[in-house]
Amino acid sequence: MDQKTTIYDIAKKLDITAATVSRALNNNPKISEATRKLVLETAAKMNYKQNRLAQSLRSGKSNNVGVIVPRIDVNFFSSVIRGIEEELHPEGYHVIICQTHEDEKREIENITTLMNAQVDGILMSISNMSKENDPVIKHVVDKNVPLIFFDRKKKMDGVSSVTIDDFEGGYLATKNLIDAGCTRIAHFSGDRSLEIYENRFKGYEQALKDFGLEWNPDYVIQTKSNVDAGRNAVTKLLSLPNPPNAIFSSSDFAALGAIQELKENGIKIPEDFCVFGFGNEPFTRFLELSISSVDQSPLEMGRMAAKVFLEQISNTDNIKIEKKVVLKPELQIRKSSTR
Amino acid sequence: MDQKTTIYDIAKKLDITAATVSRALNNNPKISEATRKLVLETAAKMNYKQNRLAQSLRSGKSNNVGVIVPRIDVNFFSSVIRGIEEELHPEGYHVIICQTHEDEKREIENITTLMNAQVDGILMSISNMSKENDPVIKHVVDKNVPLIFFDRKKKMDGVSSVTIDDFEGGYLATKNLIDAGCTRIAHFSGDRSLEIYENRFKGYEQALKDFGLEWNPDYVIQTKSNVDAGRNAVTKLLSLPNPPNAIFSSSDFAALGAIQELKENGIKIPEDFCVFGFGNEPFTRFLELSISSVDQSPLEMGRMAAKVFLEQISNTDNIKIEKKVVLKPELQIRKSSTR
């Protein structure tokens, strides 16, 4: 690396301070666009090579924050990320994103990748509950890098979290189906080793109990969060001797598959069968037969997770802060459950 | 930083080689899961602090690749990223993602962020054509960090690109509308300073010419890629003295808005009006009135961009390689243009 040109040379050339050059090179928002441009162009002309890595080693601050999500192509997660960026960008932080594809090995790799990239904090939604990644997560905490879980969390000392009340979401969605007159309500559950799915299931179960409806174990099917999984699960339900007349699905994608399969079987929605989803993916309102769903306030969740990070990073005392924020879910009642 | 424990201490403790420890710590896929776990746990117990940054400074290789896209919440981009990951992960590379929100300042920041994180390469889809970011992009090329544009590119020396033939996409979509009997075909264009939109427009124009249809400048409207923009554009078109009877939209989202607005105006699709989108977003096929669209082979595009990166990174000669790959678009003809 050519280290001959320094920020002091650039400062001298432009007759500004080295601090200003440094801020401009680091995209500090306090520097005007004109100055930043001038400094960048001059630096390029003078063949200046910014050794930010060495700089990070000295200052210990990269102004980068890592976000790990299971998948970026789910609107919920991309919206959380938007919320995080909206909150962190004005504070001078840049967000870099990794996805795990629900794979725990990838999760470990992502954490390592972000730590190697010297991020100042990690905001993540856990992909699964295996203990496999505990040492890597613990390593982040031990290094005093703020770590915040959102939506899907593990119970770990020193880690803050921002979640929604999934129990209440499940309860309210099921209650809406009961209010619509449905009597035999099935449930599509995700992997219940993840708290979010377990809590949605428990909310469903509690609502049935509170309103005196029978709970039928054949009505609870573990499905993946995709259209085909929803179709297959409905096929199973329809083959039961006493099939259900409603589904509360933990996934909007599975709910969509269910609706497609029900229609192909000549079953009328909402007249003969009601469906409630979870996640409020945009397609749920685009469809002609719009799908009722539980909104998880992803933007708010992202902003809140970012705020917790900012709080922790500005905490100069050597105290571990652990903060648990729980947001309220909100029902979006649409055609698929309105009679 | 505590530097007392070294990989040699861990190697000694486990009676394996230091190289194995290093590979395990760096998640090298050649190391078995059991060994990796053992090394990680031992490293944690021995309070080993991996100084990968210093290591990067020495080796100049981070095994991280940066991807920059305008938005992650567009299926096209998330699918390209999936393709990139599918190709790079088996090669031991980790992908970190940044989004620009179509903002050129963010684009500059993202490039700087990724360079600071010592990525081994950058794969990006340009957000706009301003010359503002040229020095930063040039800096990447000058540092011999492989840079590959996908979908949206700039003409820059030493930068490879993977795109689709947008002209042909625009031509074929327009031809499909003509074949369906549409005679007055409007066009929703994106920002035509971006080549992709200019080429889709030119394909549209050429098809009209080839089939002897009149080109009406009032029929070409620049819209953003969202539902509301599509609605507003249709309102304008319907107020013309001689409104069109078809739209070829450069965006599926704008096409969806157009369809919603047309329906609310009592116009029957496809009987009285046909619509063709671009991008093949999943919702186009989920809708009851499914939307015809141009597929851009995003997975293939991502894989190809990754392959070009791998070619460049393994090029040990000091020769700049510039490769241009152009993929063929494919029509998905659905209800919105089938009579």
Side-chain angles (χ1 to χ4, degrees):
Chain A
M1 244 179 252
D2 183 349
Q3 286 286 358
K4 280 170 199 163
T5 305
T6 69
I7 57 167
Y8 299 98
D9 302 324
I10 301 168
K12 205 173 160 187
K13 176 103 179 174
L14 295 175
D15 198 17
I16 56 180
T17 67
T20 303
V21 173
S22 168
R23 285 192 197 106
L25 290 171
N26 293 310
N27 288 320
N28 183 317
K30 281 171 192 156
I31 298 298
S32 76
E33 193 57 25
T35 306
R36 197 182 56 76
K37 201 178 154 188
L38 187 66
V39 169
L40 273 184
E41 281 172 3
T42 311
K45 268 183 219 147
M46 293 174 77
N47 203 23
Y48 171 73
K49 305 271 194 291
Q50 190 182 12
N51 193 339
R52 178 70 169 273
L53 256 184
Q55 194 182 324
S56 293
L57 278 173
R58 283 194 301 272
S59 77
K61 204 158 184 300
S62 69
N63 281 322
N64 298 336
V65 172
V67 177
I68 301 175
V69 291
R71 290 166 57 184
I72 54 170
D73 64 350
V74 169
N75 186 268
F76 170 72
F77 290 117
S78 57
S79 300
V80 172
I81 294 171
R82 197 163 75 238
I84 292 171
E85 288 185 335
E86 280 175 6
E87 198 69 33
L88 291 187
H89 192 253
E91 302 292 325
Y93 286 98
H94 309 117
V95 170
I96 58 187
I97 307 156
C98 294
Q99 54 183 344
T100 66
H101 300 280
E102 308 276 5
D103 177 59
E104 87 194 81
K105 205 175 157 226
R106 289 272 186 123
E107 193 159 80
I108 293 172
E109 289 172 1
N110 287 340
I111 295 172
T112 313
T113 296
L114 292 173
M115 291 298 282
N116 289 342
Q118 294 290 96
V119 292
D120 294 337
I122 295 179
L123 284 63
M124 74 184 288
S125 198
I126 283 285
S127 275
N128 65 58
M129 298 310 286
S130 119
K131 298 245 166 260
E132 189 81 11
N133 50 19
D134 283 3
V136 185
I137 294 178
K138 214 180 153 302
H139 175 69
V140 176
V141 178
D142 289 346
K143 282 197 98 169
N144 283 317
V145 172
L147 176 66
I148 292 107
F149 290 142
F150 58 87
D151 192 43
R152 306 172 175 195
K153 68 182 203 306
K154 275 190 167 189
K155 276 180 195 120
M156 289 196 87
D157 285 344
V159 185
S160 295
S161 65
V162 181
T163 54
I164 70 150
D165 189 336
D166 285 283
F167 176 89
E168 190 174 345
Y171 187 94
L172 293 175
T174 310
K175 182 178 176 304
N176 173 266
L177 293 169
I178 298 170
D179 290 346
C182 304
T183 47
R184 299 185 306 278
I185 303 172
H187 176 50
F188 292 171
S189 161
D191 171 3
R192 272 158 54 198
S193 71
L194 282 168
E195 256 183 291
I196 54 165
Y197 294 118
E198 176 65 8
N199 288 337
R200 290 173 200 176
F201 166 72
K202 280 187 182 158
Y204 152 79
E205 210 184 24
Q206 189 62 45
L208 293 186
K209 201 180 285 179
D210 286 356
F211 292 89
L213 294 186
E214 194 198 356
W215 179 72
N216 182 343
D218 290 342
Y219 283 1
V220 178
I221 299 186
Q222 181 171 326
T223 55
K224 295 210 165 185
S225 180
N226 65 51
V227 172
D228 286 339
R231 278 180 172 268
N232 294 337
V234 158
T235 307
K236 265 191 221 167
L237 289 175
L238 293 181
S239 72
L240 292 175
N242 185 25
N245 54 20
I247 296 166
F248 160 51
S249 170
S250 270
S251 148
D252 281 336
F253 295 93
L256 174 61
I259 287 175
Q260 291 176 347
E261 189 69 28
L262 286 164
K263 275 188 184 168
E264 286 174 19
N265 279 274
I267 294 169
K268 280 188 187 147
I269 304 167
E271 295 84 348
D272 304 330
F273 205 111
C274 288
V275 177
F276 215 108
F278 206 109
N280 201 22
E281 285 290 313
F283 70 79
T284 55
R285 63 174 180 281
F286 288 162
L287 295 168
E288 197 138 354
L289 176 72
S290 57
I291 307 178
S292 299
S293 192
V294 180
D295 186 70
Q296 302 174 272
S297 312
L299 272 179
E300 182 62 17
M301 187 180 283
R303 283 201 201 101
M304 194 54 78
K307 277 180 193 159
V308 174
F309 160 76
L310 291 171
E311 238 177 82
Q312 294 197 197
I313 196 90
S314 65
N315 164 39
T316 46
D317 306 329
N318 206 1
I319 306 167
K320 293 234 189 273
I321 305 176
E322 210 184 295
K323 197 165 180 171
K324 308 281 173 206
V325 181
V326 180
L327 305 171
K328 287 265 163 216
E330 210 172 285
L331 294 197
Q332 298 293 333
I333 298 168
R334 304 202 177 93
K335 288 184 191 167
S336 70
S337 74
T338 306
R339 278 171 173 170
Chain B
M1 249 181 251
D2 183 348
Q3 286 286 358
K4 280 170 200 161
T5 305
T6 69
I7 56 167
Y8 300 97
D9 301 324
I10 301 168
K12 204 172 160 190
K13 175 103 178 173
L14 296 174
D15 199 17
I16 55 179
T17 68
T20 303
V21 173
S22 168
R23 286 192 197 107
L25 291 170
N26 292 311
N27 288 319
N28 184 315
K30 282 170 193 158
I31 298 299
S32 78
E33 192 58 26
T35 306
R36 198 183 54 76
K37 203 179 154 188
L38 186 67
V39 169
L40 274 183
E41 281 172 3
T42 310
K45 267 183 220 148
M46 293 174 78
N47 203 23
Y48 171 73
K49 303 271 195 292
Q50 189 182 14
N51 195 338
R52 177 70 169 271
L53 255 184
Q55 194 183 326
S56 294
L57 279 172
R58 283 195 302 271
S59 78
K61 203 155 186 297
S62 68
N63 280 322
N64 298 336
V65 171
V67 176
I68 301 175
V69 291
R71 291 165 58 185
I72 54 171
D73 63 350
V74 170
N75 186 268
F76 170 71
F77 290 118
S78 57
S79 299
V80 173
I81 293 170
R82 197 163 74 239
I84 292 170
E85 289 184 335
E86 281 175 6
E87 199 68 33
L88 291 187
H89 193 254
E91 302 293 324
Y93 287 98
H94 308 118
V95 170
I96 58 187
I97 307 157
C98 295
Q99 54 182 344
T100 66
H101 300 279
E102 307 277 5
D103 177 59
E104 87 193 82
K105 209 177 154 225
R106 291 271 186 122
E107 193 158 80
I108 293 171
E109 289 172 0
N110 287 342
I111 296 171
T112 313
T113 296
L114 291 173
M115 290 298 281
N116 290 340
Q118 295 290 96
V119 292
D120 293 337
I122 295 179
L123 284 64
M124 74 184 289
S125 196
I126 283 286
S127 274
N128 65 59
M129 298 312 286
S130 120
K131 299 242 165 264
E132 188 80 12
N133 50 20
D134 283 1
V136 184
I137 294 177
K138 214 180 153 303
H139 175 68
V140 177
V141 179
D142 289 347
K143 283 197 97 171
N144 282 318
V145 172
L147 177 65
I148 291 108
F149 291 143
F150 57 86
D151 192 44
R152 305 171 175 196
K153 69 181 202 303
K154 275 190 165 187
K155 276 180 194 123
M156 288 194 88
D157 286 344
V159 185
S160 295
S161 64
V162 181
T163 54
I164 69 150
D165 189 336
D166 285 284
F167 176 90
E168 190 174 347
Y171 187 93
L172 293 176
T174 309
K175 181 176 178 303
N176 173 265
L177 292 169
I178 296 169
D179 290 345
C182 305
T183 48
R184 300 184 305 280
I185 302 170
H187 176 50
F188 292 171
S189 161
D191 171 3
R192 272 159 51 199
S193 72
L194 282 168
E195 255 182 292
I196 54 166
Y197 294 118
E198 176 65 8
N199 288 339
R200 291 174 199 176
F201 166 72
K202 280 188 182 157
Y204 153 79
E205 210 184 25
Q206 189 61 46
L208 293 185
K209 200 179 285 179
D210 286 356
F211 292 88
L213 292 186
E214 193 196 358
W215 180 72
N216 182 341
D218 290 341
Y219 283 180
V220 178
I221 300 186
Q222 182 170 327
T223 56
K224 295 209 166 188
S225 179
N226 64 51
V227 173
D228 286 341
R231 280 180 171 268
N232 294 338
V234 158
T235 307
K236 265 191 220 165
L237 289 176
L238 293 181
S239 71
L240 291 174
N242 186 23
N245 53 19
I247 296 167
F248 160 51
S249 170
S250 271
S251 147
D252 282 336
F253 296 93
L256 174 62
I259 287 175
Q260 291 176 347
E261 190 69 28
L262 287 164
K263 275 187 183 171
E264 285 174 21
N265 279 275
I267 294 169
K268 280 188 189 147
I269 305 165
E271 294 82 350
D272 303 332
F273 205 111
C274 289
V275 177
F276 215 108
F278 206 109
N280 201 22
E281 285 289 314
F283 69 81
T284 55
R285 65 174 179 278
F286 288 163
L287 295 168
E288 197 136 357
L289 177 71
S290 57
I291 306 178
S292 298
S293 192
V294 181
D295 186 70
Q296 301 173 273
S297 311
L299 272 179
E300 182 62 19
M301 187 181 282
R303 283 201 202 101
M304 195 53 81
K307 278 180 194 159
V308 175
F309 160 77
L310 290 171
E311 238 178 80
Q312 294 198 198
I313 197 87
S314 65
N315 164 40
T316 45
D317 306 328
N318 207 1
I319 306 166
K320 294 232 189 273
I321 305 176
E322 211 184 295
K323 196 164 181 172
K324 309 282 173 204
V325 181
V326 181
L327 305 171
K328 286 266 162 216
E330 210 173 285
L331 294 198
Q332 297 294 333
I333 298 168
R334 304 201 177 94
K335 289 185 189 166
S336 70
S337 74
T338 307
R339 280 172 172 167

